[in-house]
Every structure is written in C-alpha cells, then in structure tokens.
Amino acid sequence: MEFELTKEHLMLGDTVREFAEKEVAPLAQKIDDSGEFPWQTLKKMWRLGLMGMTLPKEYGGPGSDTIAYVIALEEISRACASTGVIMAVHNSVCAYPIWKYGSEDQKRQYLRRMAEGGALGAFALTEPGAGSDAAGVRTTAIKEGDEYVLNGSKIFITSGSEAHILLVVASTNPAAGGKGLSAFVVEKGTPGFEYGSIEDKMGVRASATTELVFDECYLPGTSLLGNEGDGLKIALSTLDSGRTGIGAQALGIARGAFEEAVKYAKEREQFGRPIASLQAVQWKIADMAVKIEAARNLVHRAAWLKDRGQPFGKEAAMAKLYASTIAREVTNDAVQIHGGYGYTKDYPVERYYRDAKVTEIYEGTSEIQRLVIANSLLR
C-alpha cells in the first residue's frame, strides 16, 4: 500500500478539519447535553459534499474514494462523535448499498436526494431477537400481488426517527432462515411505518437511536433491493463498509481525546512544573500516539483495499476492532491525565470517554469482529 496521501487527500483533510472546528465542535457539548439532533450542521455538511461522498457524480455525489471518506469522517468525529456516526450511517450503510445493489431506477430515485437534497439515510437490521445473529431476523415482508406487506420491529436504529430513506432487512421466506432474507428501501411516511421509543444513551447522545415498528406496511415491489433472498448478503457486505466507517469514527474520537490530553498536560502544573514533564504522563501520551497511528493505518488499509475492488472484509473487521479498542483505551487515559477534572463535564474528555464505548458495540461487537477475522484466517 502507498501510505503517502495525495495532495487532494491532504487538502480535503484541511478543509474538513477547519469546518469541523468552526461549525461542529462548538455545538458538540450542547447537543450532547440536550440530545438535539444536529440538523443545522448536517445541512452545512450536505453543502460541503460530505453526505454521499463516495457516490458518483452522476448521482449527485463528488465521487470521492474511500480514503477521502475516512479522512473526512475522522475529522468530523474528532469534533463530535454524534455527528460522525450520523454521517457514517448515511454514507456507509444506506447510500452505499443502494448504489451497489440498486436498480438504475432506484439509484436515480434515491441517491441524488441523499447526496445533495437533504434526504437522510438509515440502516435497519437489528431486532430484539436478532443482534449479533444477523440471520435471526423475524420481521417479515410477505408478497401479496405486486406488493410486500412488512410486519415486525427494529431496535437501536441510528437516525431511525430522523431518516427519510431506510434500508430495511426482512424475511420474505421465513422457512428458509437466513437464506430467506431480503432488503427493502422504505421511505419515511409510508403508511404502517411508525416510530417507537427513542433510546436514552450513555454516549453519542445527539444521534437519535430509535425503535421502528411496521404494522401492515405495504411496500411496492420496486422497493425490493436486488433479488429476494439477497438480504443477508447485502447486509453482511454493507456491514463491511460500515465497519470501515466506524473505525474512522473511533479513530476520530481517540484523536480528539488525545489532543485534549496533550493540551491539558502542558498547561496543568503539579509539583511546581507542568505534568507533561512527568515520565508517567509522557509514557501515557507516547502509548496513546502509537495506538492512534496504528489504528489509522488499519482503517486506511481497509479503505485502500475497498477502493481497489479487492476483498476487504477481514481488514475492515480488524480496523473496526482495533480502532474501537484503542478509542476506549485512549479516552480512558485522557480522563486519567485530567485527573478529577476529567470526570466533570467542564472538559470534553468526559464526553469522548462516553462516546468511545459504543464503537465496540455497533456495526458488530468486538466479539463478532474476532469471529469474522478468525473465520477468514481459518477458512
């Protein structure tokens, strides 16, 4: 892999970093406290081309590669993890599978709106009885004539109550188990589609995490993505894409906490000198920097492989596993360096610490990532 970023990648990083520091970071603590969904920020991100980044220009996107996408997502997540996960879900697990598996009519119907028209995307797979076991979906989509009737519920759906376009996995053949799953594009406002509870979460509090309820929800046949029975394949390949994005989000969280810790260590004095001069603190900072650099290389390698059309599922799982692990470790060390102040909301490391944990859970837990990696190695 060529590890030197292109001039365009570096310019993009600078542009998104400046945007994030000016428009995203100042609101991060406020929306974390209130749980307010960051619509005003997202509208600005659409104008900057960050929503639908990897979509081709013919569908309204800038046609960026995946390396550019993870660079941008790291910068947004460094400023606000809630905004980062909304961006990641929209791009990685809704727009991407529609582009990859959708018909030409579906692409033209949905993608331009997602890339430039303000239509937010979400991905609905998880159910009360189907989390890590993606094949355990019980929501059904039974065909009646030219329509499908959707019945069931989904939980923990990021942006679920705010999204306009949702990719929903349901069973069209319950007797076939995982082989009977299919994927559908469902629009907000479809009769029979309602929102249930919105979760009160420990972290990423400004991203709406919602229950979805489908009760005799009639979908046109044209809402089927790909073919009947493709649902598990679409879901698993979509999660590969999503894991690369969550790896970038975790990397951004870790980097934000690291930078705050370095700043604080230089300013905070104990024993008559800045704590940055103490070896115990210096070693923490050194270890944090090494972990972040290693995580970035794993995330970029997964993105690099995807851009070249090569298999990247194992590498995406590695990137997500390691980046989420070091996000927890780095944010923990950042709080420790801050001491008692790190346990208060006066400093952003408290928020980074809470935000980091969920990166080890969504888009597949760390345990599932290890299974994916081991299965690939032992196949």
Side-chain angles (χ1 to χ4, degrees), residues 123-143:
F123 176 63
L125 173 64
T126 303
E127 297 181 4
S132 295
D133 180 12
V137 166
R138 293 293 178 266
T139 295
T140 58
I142 304 303
K143 194 167 188 180

Side-chain angles (χ1 to χ4, degrees), residues 1-335:
M1 174 182 173
E2 176 55 67
F3 282 87
E4 184 176 358
L5 298 177
T6 67
K7 180 181 178 181
E8 290 74 18
H9 288 145
L10 295 172
M11 289 176 61
L12 172 73
D14 290 342
T15 299
V16 180
R17 186 180 310 114
E18 181 180 356
F19 169 81
E21 290 176 351
K22 180 181 178 181
E23 302 288 351
V24 183
L27 297 175
Q29 190 61 54
K30 176 185 175 183
I31 62 175
D32 178 79
D33 290 339
S34 67
E36 177 186 354
F37 198 80
W39 270 116
Q40 292 305 314
T41 302
L42 293 173
K43 290 176 182 177
K44 295 174 183 178
M45 290 169 64
W46 259 296
R47 291 197 290 270
L48 196 60
L50 299 179
M51 307 296 280
M53 277 192 72
T54 60
L55 293 177
K57 293 181 180 180
E58 62 185 298
Y59 301 118
S64 302
D65 62 14
T66 313
I67 293 283
Y69 168 58
V70 296
I71 289 171
L73 184 52
E74 177 187 339
E75 294 295 344
I76 294 296
S77 301
R78 167 181 170 261
C80 175
S82 292
T83 307
V85 73
I86 295 166
M87 174 183 169
V89 166
H90 175 85
N91 281 283
S92 298
V93 294
C94 191
Y96 171 73
I98 293 175
W99 173 76
K100 183 174 181 180
Y101 295 103
S103 66
E104 188 60 32
D105 286 344
Q106 288 172 327
K107 293 177 184 179
R108 298 201 177 280
Q109 181 178 357
Y110 300 117
L111 294 183
R112 185 169 292 277
R113 291 161 55 197
M114 297 184 73
E116 60 185 26
L120 187 66
F123 176 63
L125 173 64
T126 303
E127 297 181 4
S132 295
D133 180 12
V137 166
R138 293 293 178 266
T139 295
T140 58
I142 304 303
K143 194 167 188 180
E144 291 188 6
D146 294 330
E147 296 180 303
Y148 290 90
V149 186
L150 195 59
N151 282 288
S153 63
K154 301 289 182 178
I155 59 170
F156 303 148
I157 306 306
T158 301
S159 303
S161 58
E162 302 292 332
H164 305 88
I165 297 168
L166 300 97
L167 184 62
V168 178
V169 178
S171 178
T172 48
N173 182 4
K179 295 181 180 180
L181 299 183
S182 302
F184 298 87
V185 183
V186 182
E187 294 209 49
K188 184 176 185 177
T190 302
F193 170 27
E194 303 290 343
Y195 308 119
S197 60
I198 298 178
E199 302 297 336
D200 186 8
K201 307 186 300 295
M202 177 172 74
V204 290
R205 293 179 51 78
S207 67
T209 304
T210 316
E211 177 188 20
L212 309 180
V213 179
F214 304 99
D215 183 10
E216 296 295 297
C217 178
Y218 280 78
L219 304 176
T222 54
S223 65
L224 177 67
L225 192 68
N227 301 308
E228 284 193 16
D230 284 348
L232 188 59
K233 176 187 74 174
I234 291 173
L236 294 180
S237 71
T238 295
L239 288 172
D240 285 342
S241 175
R243 286 163 184 161
T244 307
I246 297 303
Q249 185 209 16
L251 175 60
I253 294 169
R255 186 172 138 230
F258 169 75
E259 291 174 357
E260 290 292 333
V262 170
K263 176 183 175 183
Y264 183 83
K266 290 179 178 179
E267 296 173 349
R268 173 66 169 169
E269 291 192 1
Q270 290 288 276
F271 311 107
R273 54 180 173 161
I275 63 172
S277 66
L278 302 174
Q279 189 179 69
V281 174
Q282 291 175 353
W283 283 16
K284 278 189 184 297
I285 287 172
D287 287 344
M288 294 159 79
V290 171
K291 291 174 180 177
I292 289 169
E293 191 64 26
R296 182 176 291 112
N297 281 314
L298 283 171
V299 171
H300 283 200
R301 175 164 173 75
W304 181 83
L305 288 169
K306 181 182 176 185
D307 283 336
R308 279 148 185 78
Q310 298 180 30
F312 69 101
K314 171 171 64 71
E315 288 77 11
M318 287 179 169
K320 200 268 189 185
L321 171 64
Y322 186 73
S324 62
T325 300
I326 69 101
R328 171 175 48 80
E329 294 173 350
V330 168
T331 56
N332 179 73
D333 284 344
V335 170

